[in-house]
Amino acid sequence: MSELAARGRDLVQRRRARTAFLAGMGRGLAGALLFALPMLMTMEMWQLGFHIDREKLLLLLVINLPLLLILSHHIGFEETFGWREDLRDAIVAYGIGIAASALILALFGLLKAEMPISELFGKIAVQAVPASIGAMLGRSQLTRDEDEECENPELRKRPATYFGELFLMAVGALFLSLNVAPTEEMILLSYKMTAWHALAAIALSIALMHGFVYAVSFEGGHELSPETPWWHALIRFTLPGYVIALSISLFCLWIFEQVDGTALTPLIFAVIVLAFPAAIGAAAARLIL
């Protein structure tokens, strides 16, 4: 009887694991659509798939895989106990992102049989990056309370180290930057700005980053202990986070070919403009991931 009972428990556990994984995939698909749909319906992203430099596109796709791998370690589709399982979740998220992108683009008539393979691949690949990140984020944001209660809370969401928090800020900055980096408005705004506008944008970006996490009591925010000086979190988290937002912004502008032919001053201003939403994304990532 004991052997039959053990087999029964093992069968139940396998069914629960299979159900949890399928539910995670469903949340991943919902997350891919929810987070990536604005980009899937943006003309600049369609055009990028046609003319983006293929070496840059390959670099973006290659960089996205380890990003998903580390993100899976923190908020994957299910509890993971090693990098092999994290890699599986990352590949699944990539697959969901590719499938969701192809489905929506085909639905809107943006993929046609007579198109060259290079154009078809480019359009799907460009969109698959934000869609795959959205698929991974779907596990974190679309989990029901009762599901969370059934899981081991110590394993469900691993506590982030200092560098882990910086990484999550980079993910948030990248995800929000992808929404606007390909648009012409980034360069247009940079030509309309003055040095005073740029300084004001920097100051406001830093203030909002710090305020979102430490001042306005959002759920998931961080509270400073009374003995902690106010500048500690500013120097340790907010300013490094803004530097990350600037770096991600420059990378996105370069990947999406917004740098070529742009003078130095407008380029700096464009990075500062794009760093504004990137900074908001970095702060939001610390709140919700």
Side-chain angles (χ1 to χ4, degrees):
M1 290 293 294
S2 59
E3 184 177 350
L4 290 176
R7 289 182 179 179
R9 286 194 299 268
D10 184 60
L11 182 61
V12 169
Q13 290 177 354
R14 289 183 180 180
R15 287 178 178 175
R16 286 180 177 176
R18 189 183 306 113
T19 301
F21 183 71
L22 292 176
M25 290 187 66
R27 295 183 190 118
L29 178 59
L33 294 176
L34 179 64
F35 287 97
L37 200 56
M39 285 164 276
L40 286 165
M41 302 181 70
T42 302
M43 181 175 62
E44 286 88 353
M45 292 293 281
W46 310 336
Q47 294 174 342
L48 270 171
F50 175 70
H51 66 74
I52 188 173
D53 185 83
R54 288 314 186 243
E55 285 77 14
K56 291 182 179 179
L57 179 58
L58 178 61
L59 176 63
L60 182 62
L61 295 176
V62 170
I63 289 176
N64 191 46
L65 184 58
L67 184 150
L68 291 174
L69 180 64
I70 301 174
L71 195 57
S72 172
H73 184 67
H74 293 281
I75 52 167
F77 292 134
E78 58 179 358
E79 310 307 342
T80 56
F81 302 95
W83 288 108
R84 182 176 298 178
E85 295 182 357
D86 289 323
L87 179 60
R88 180 197 62 188
D89 275 7
I91 293 173
V92 169
Y94 229 144
I96 291 174
I98 292 171
S101 301
L103 176 64
I104 299 301
L105 291 173
L107 178 66
F108 294 140
L110 299 170
L111 299 180
K112 298 180 180 179
E114 61 269 18
M115 286 181 176
I117 296 296
S118 176
E119 183 177 355
L120 291 172
F121 172 79
K123 286 184 176 181
I124 295 174
V126 167
Q127 301 283 2
V129 173
S132 62
I133 298 175
M136 193 65 75
L137 296 181
R139 193 276 183 195
S140 174
Q141 298 308 301
L142 304 178
T143 301
R144 298 181 302 175
D145 292 339
E146 55 265 34
D147 292 338
E148 295 179 355
E149 293 173 357
C150 293
E151 296 171 357
N152 187 338
E154 294 181 356
L155 293 173
R156 183 179 62 83
K157 188 174 180 179
R158 297 177 175 87
T161 63
Y162 174 68
F163 290 104
E165 292 216 25
L166 295 182
F167 168 77
L168 293 179
M169 284 195 281
V171 172
L174 176 63
F175 188 81
L176 211 52
S177 296
L178 290 173
N179 281 271
V180 291
T183 63
E184 296 180 0
E185 284 78 5
M186 292 299 99
I187 302 302
L188 178 62
L189 287 171
S190 69
Y191 279 97
K192 291 180 174 293
M193 290 179 68
T194 65
W196 291 110
H197 290 117
L199 291 175
I202 293 173
L204 182 59
S205 299
I206 294 173
L208 289 175
M209 282 189 73
H210 194 72
F212 277 14
V213 178
Y214 294 102
V216 295
S217 299
F218 280 138
E219 183 178 356
H222 300 253
E223 293 185 2
L224 298 175
S225 59
E227 61 272 11
T228 303
W230 66 269
W231 48 263
H232 181 268
L234 179 70
I235 295 177
R236 183 171 171 78
F237 287 104
T238 306
L239 292 182
Y242 186 66
V243 172
I244 290 173
L246 289 171
S247 302
I248 293 293
S249 300
L250 179 59
F251 172 76
C252 288
L253 290 173
W254 176 74
I255 282 288
F256 293 141
E257 301 184 344
Q258 299 279 47
V259 173
D260 301 338
T262 304
L264 180 60
T265 299
L267 175 59
I268 293 174
F269 287 175
V271 171
I272 293 173
V273 169
L274 185 55
F276 181 75
I280 302 300
R286 294 195 65 203
L287 292 174
I288 65 179
L289 298 183

